[in-house]
Amino acid sequence: MDDYPLLNFFWTMLWFFVWVLWFFLLFKVITDIFRDHTLGGWGKAGWLVLVLLLPFLGIFVYLIARGRSMHERDRKQAEEQQEAFRSYVQQTAGAGSGSADELHKLAALKDKGDITQEEFDRAKAKILA
């Protein structure tokens, strides 16, 4: 380890970090190219060719030209996922109370005399099944 001083180790780690960061940016831009619905097929192909053939220049030009809309698409996707999650939770949480509400309505109908005990029992069995 005498021929590899500590400063060279830090320099190597810095370049490794930049390399990983570069791949993260590359995949993020390629994902954004395919996620954009306003961009046509030829536009997507053009950006993809630019990013893959001239990676440094292509990524920087893409970030300068479309960075703001890239952020807006990220925000829109996050909001859609949040709304889908919220509606799923509300639907799932509301599923258990639906049968209780129906049983309560059936009991009220039976108490008023609108349905007989036999009809109440059949409807109750159908709800609980």
Side-chain angles (χ1 to χ4, degrees):
M1 291 292 285
D2 292 332
D3 58 339
Y4 198 66
L6 187 61
L7 187 60
N8 284 346
F9 175 72
F10 287 132
W11 188 249
T12 303
M13 292 306 295
L14 176 71
W15 279 110
F16 179 74
F17 175 74
V18 169
W19 183 71
V20 169
L21 182 66
W22 179 254
F23 275 108
F24 174 77
L25 269 174
L26 180 69
F27 292 131
K28 182 76 171 164
V29 166
I30 291 174
T31 302
D32 188 65
I33 289 171
F34 286 108
R35 184 177 52 188
D36 187 9
H37 299 295
T38 62
L39 201 57
W42 286 107
K44 289 179 183 184
W47 277 113
L48 191 62
V49 166
L50 180 67
V51 165
L52 292 178
L53 291 182
L54 301 170
F56 292 110
L57 182 65
I59 295 292
F60 293 138
V61 168
Y62 187 85
L63 290 176
I64 291 169
R66 300 181 54 84
R68 182 178 310 266
S69 60
M70 186 174 170
H71 168 70
E72 291 169 1
R73 282 186 293 280
D74 280 341
R75 184 179 47 80
K76 182 180 175 186
Q77 182 182 16
E79 288 174 356
E80 288 173 356
Q81 288 176 345
Q82 180 68 24
E83 183 59 36
F85 175 73
R86 185 176 296 124
S87 67
Y88 170 75
V89 168
Q90 287 175 349
Q91 178 185 8
T92 304
S97 65
S99 60
D101 288 339
E102 290 182 34
L103 286 174
H104 180 68
K105 289 176 187 177
L106 278 175
L109 287 174
K110 186 185 78 150
D111 291 341
K112 287 196 307 186
D114 292 340
I115 60 173
T116 64
Q117 181 65 35
E118 294 172 2
E119 293 171 332
F120 174 77
D121 291 337
R122 277 186 278 144
K124 179 182 171 183
K126 190 181 289 184
I127 290 172
L128 294 177

